[in-house]
Amino acid sequence: MSNSSRNKLYPLDPSLETRLTLATFEDKFDLKEFLGTVTEKMITQSQEEPGPFSPVPFIRTFESAVDRLITIRKDLQQRTEQMEKSVRQAEREFSTRMKGLNDNFEEVSKSFAGMEGRISEVGRTAIRIGEQLESVHSSRLRAQAACDIIGFYIQFSRNDVTKMDVLRKEGGKEGRMKLAILLRRINTTAKEVDIPISEKVKENIDRYCEKFEKDMLRLFDRSYRKGDPEMMAHSAKVLLEFNGGSSC
């Protein structure tokens, strides 16, 4: 007799039907708790029934549970493959857009106004990539971060640090922390970009990062002299986000 035929004689308890779904394995999954749920009712029934212990109900229940888990695994695999296919397609589209931006970068430097629409298109592509990655990683913020990095990278290519200065000088604690994270990500991205003006952009980024680091060290020193532990802690946290605390 096949597993499926045997299992029909021992259908799953309705309470187990609700547990054998994909939702059970999301977030924090506790194997011990799961096995306890599967066997709890059968253990109670076994203890209440007279006569010798029979393992058959346990075996049949576990066989049915395994069949259901295999079905869930296959369904999850299909969904994962489909999402990965969508992400790869979006990545190819993004690469194509970036190549187009690279091929026309010289023209952008001469007439930036004419390329506003193209840059926005790249930004929208980055957002779409982030939205598709959300299905796999549950992280919508990556798309916006990618868009911000592209925008600030382009500003560095023109040596325009106006928006960065606003965060640094007028943004307060939140602005300095946001700028520290942004500079760290832009610095990492700049090392991977290979376009005709990438070296010059990298120099602009390095120069601004050095300036930001010195500003934060001076802020820490002033706070120390004033006996302001709250601002000292803030300065240290910003430096930690900026370069892992290597400045301290």
Side-chain angles (χ1 to χ4, degrees), residues 2 10 37 51 63 79 98 113 116-117 119 134 139 170 175 178 187 191-192 206 227:
S2 66
Y10 295 87
T37 302
E63 287 176 344
R79 291 168 57 184
M98 287 300 294
E116 287 282 349
I119 294 170
E134 177 188 352
S139 182
E170 303 175 14
K178 181 177 179 180
N187 203 13
K191 295 176 181 177
E192 300 177 359
D206 288 343

Side-chain angles (χ1 to χ4, degrees), residues 4 39 45 62 85-86 93 132 138 142 180 192 204 235:
S4 59
T39 58
Q45 292 176 344
F62 278 117
K85 182 179 179 181
S86 298
E93 182 181 352
Q132 288 176 319
S138 301
R142 292 188 180 181
E192 300 177 359
N204 292 340
S235 303

Side-chain angles (χ1 to χ4, degrees), residues 68-84:
R68 183 64 56 82
L69 290 174
I70 290 174
T71 301
I72 293 173
R73 185 184 65 185
K74 290 179 178 178
D75 179 60
L76 178 60
Q77 180 64 29
Q78 291 177 350
R79 291 168 57 184
T80 301
E81 289 175 356
Q82 184 60 42
M83 286 187 291
E84 289 176 347

Side-chain angles (χ1 to χ4, degrees), residues 84-138:
E84 289 176 347
K85 182 179 179 181
S86 298
V87 170
R88 287 194 296 269
Q89 176 62 32
E91 288 175 341
R92 286 194 293 270
E93 182 181 352
F94 180 72
S95 298
T96 301
R97 298 296 185 189
M98 287 300 294
K99 186 178 184 302
L101 180 62
N102 179 31
D103 293 341
N104 293 280
F105 211 95
E106 291 299 327
E107 182 181 348
V108 173
S109 63
K110 297 176 183 178
S111 180
F112 183 77
M115 286 294 293
E116 287 282 349
R118 196 67 178 274
I119 294 170
S120 297
E121 186 178 3
V122 173
R124 288 192 296 271
T125 302
I127 291 175
R128 289 199 298 273
I129 290 175
E131 289 174 345
Q132 288 176 319
L133 286 174
E134 177 188 352
S135 301
V136 181
H137 303 290
S138 301

Side-chain angles (χ1 to χ4, degrees), residues 25-26 31 37 43 47 52 58-59 62 65 86 98 106 114 119 127 141 149-150 160 175 178 200 215 241 245 248:
F25 305 93
E26 295 175 345
L31 178 60
T37 302
I43 291 174
Q47 291 174 340
F58 291 85
I59 295 172
F62 278 117
S86 298
M98 287 300 294
E106 291 299 327
I119 294 170
I127 291 175
L141 293 178
I149 289 174
I150 291 172
D160 178 7
K178 181 177 179 180
K200 180 167 180 19
D215 282 352
E241 284 291 348
C248 301

